[in-house]
Structures are given as structure tokens and as C-alpha cells.
Amino acid sequence: MSESVISALFVLLGYLCGSVSFSYWLGRRHDAIDLRRKGSGKLSASNVYNYYGVWGLVLVGLVDVLKAAVPVWLARQAGQSLEICALTGLAAMAGHNWSLYLNFRGGRGVSAALGTLLNLFPAGVPWLLGHLAAGRLVPRQAAAVGLLGIVTLPLLAQFLNQPRAVILCCWGILLLTVLKRLEGSHKEMVDRGPRWRVLLCRLLLDRDIPDFDAWISDDPQLEGHAG
């Protein structure tokens, strides 16, 4: 088997592992609910936290980190280039965001990004975690604080003189994050307001309307009259 085929298989492995949604599995197994139809509508550790608290957040977060960290680690152990390892991690993040098993729905990929950084850019892990922790102090603006950490991640890698592949991987993490946020969570609402405001809210706040409480509510009529 040629080296290029092996490299492609590692990238594919990253995507397939990333596509496994443990937040969806937890909701189905624990309460027979579909988290895509609850709260923020995201299959992410943050939405799990809304329903199961800290234990759910930690459990799903750790497993989501591993589903990216393991494929990247295997690629490194197999002697794959730094570029292929980075692509494997980005593929895992893409799988988390657009799961093959869930009609290409998913979360925001932050945990998968952390798993990739563990292998390729360890200094980026406390950087992102610090922003995520700071966001918990202002939960209604947590998405904006988290985005700041991701936006500045490539600059941190550049400042610390990381290899080109690592810097490009950080830009890739930012690109996947922006694309997923702009796509939205497919949550049905009566009225979201002007399109430009919806896109701005998605990018900065990771929701379609400014009102956090109305957004995570399960009542579509309440959501539709918010913001």
C-alpha cells in the first residue's frame, strides 16, 4: 500500500472517529432525548451541560477530546508527516461538526480541536481552556469569549515559532469554527429578525438571537418573540 493511501486512510479515520457523537448517545441512552431538539440544539458538551450538569460536561468533553487525540497520535506513531497529522485532527473536528452518522449535524468541534492540539501544539490547550473557563464566568457571552481564544490561536502559534503545519492547523480550526457557527444549529424559530443580524449573532454569540434565555428555551413561541 502506497504512502499516500496510508495517509488518506489516517485522515479518513480522523473523520470517522470525529463523527461519533457522544453527546447524542448520552441523551438517547440516559433520557431518550435528542439533544438536537433541546436547548441550543447543538450536539456539544455545552448543551450537555444544560441538561446533565458538570458530570455530563466532563464526560462528553473528555471523550470528544480523545476521539481526535487518538487518531492524531496514531498518525504520529506511524511516522506520518506533521501535515498529515494536522489534516487528521482537522478531519476529526469536521466529523464532530458534520457527523456522517447524524445527517451531517453536530457540535462546534472545540473538544476535537483540543484533542488535536494535545498532539501538535500543547501550549494551545491551556490557551483555549483559559478562554472557555473565562466564558463560564459570563455564560451569556461564553461563545464570544471562546471565539476570541480560537481567533488568537494562530497568532499564538506564530508568536511561539511553531512549524508551518501547526500554524496552518490553527487557521483551519478557526475556519471550521466560523463555518459551523455561520451555518447555525438548524433550530426552528418563528422569527429571527434581519438576516445580517442573524449571521452576526451566529458568529459572535453562536445563536440566532441576542437573548440567551429565549434561545435555549424549548418553547418556539418564546424563542420567536425574543431579541
Side-chain angles (χ1 to χ4, degrees):
M1 190 178 295
S2 68
E3 183 65 28
S4 60
V5 172
I6 294 175
S7 298
L9 288 176
F10 273 111
V11 176
L12 177 61
L13 175 65
Y15 177 73
L16 294 177
C17 289
S19 289
V20 178
S21 176
F22 292 96
S23 54
Y24 176 82
W25 176 85
L26 177 63
R28 284 300 196 190
R29 293 283 295 180
H30 195 272
D31 289 322
I33 63 173
D34 186 345
L35 286 176
R36 292 174 296 179
R37 304 180 185 278
K38 298 291 183 178
S40 66
K42 295 182 291 184
L43 290 172
S44 61
S46 61
N47 201 26
V48 168
Y49 175 76
N50 293 331
Y51 284 87
Y52 301 109
V54 174
W55 76 268
L57 174 68
V58 172
L59 175 63
V60 171
L62 286 176
V63 178
D64 282 348
V65 167
L66 288 175
K67 72 183 185 182
V70 171
V72 176
W73 181 83
L74 290 174
R76 297 202 72 176
Q77 294 303 304
Q80 294 294 306
S81 67
L82 200 57
E83 287 79 8
I84 295 300
C85 293
L87 284 174
T88 299
L90 290 174
M93 183 176 176
H96 181 91
N97 291 357
W98 299 280
S99 171
L100 178 66
Y101 316 123
L102 295 171
N103 297 319
F104 301 102
R105 299 275 295 277
R108 295 302 185 262
V110 176
S111 297
L114 288 170
T116 301
L117 293 174
L118 276 174
N119 286 278
L120 305 181
F121 183 32
V125 174
W127 181 262
L128 275 190
L129 286 177
H131 283 82
L132 294 175
R136 287 295 163 191
L137 299 177
V138 282
R140 286 167 174 74
Q141 309 299 326
V145 179
L147 180 63
L148 178 62
I150 294 174
V151 167
T152 54
L153 187 63
L155 304 180
L156 177 67
Q158 184 80 50
F159 177 75
L160 296 179
N161 296 315
Q162 293 299 297
R164 180 173 179 270
V166 172
I167 296 173
L168 290 177
C169 181
C170 292
W171 283 112
I173 290 172
L174 173 58
L175 176 62
L176 291 176
T177 299
V178 170
L179 289 176
K180 186 60 183 179
R181 285 198 177 195
L182 291 178
E183 178 190 53
S185 63
H186 306 281
K187 187 174 182 180
E188 295 183 3
M189 295 179 64
V190 177
D191 179 25
R192 291 181 172 91
R195 185 64 176 172
W196 68 267
R197 191 180 72 172
V198 171
L199 290 175
L200 186 61
C201 284
R202 285 181 179 180
L203 180 61
L204 299 180
L205 304 176
D206 201 14
R207 55 183 184 263
D208 287 6
I209 57 176
D211 192 321
F212 175 82
D213 294 320
W215 177 244
I216 65 171
S217 168
D218 292 329
D219 182 353
Q221 295 302 319
L222 177 59
E223 294 166 356
H225 291 86

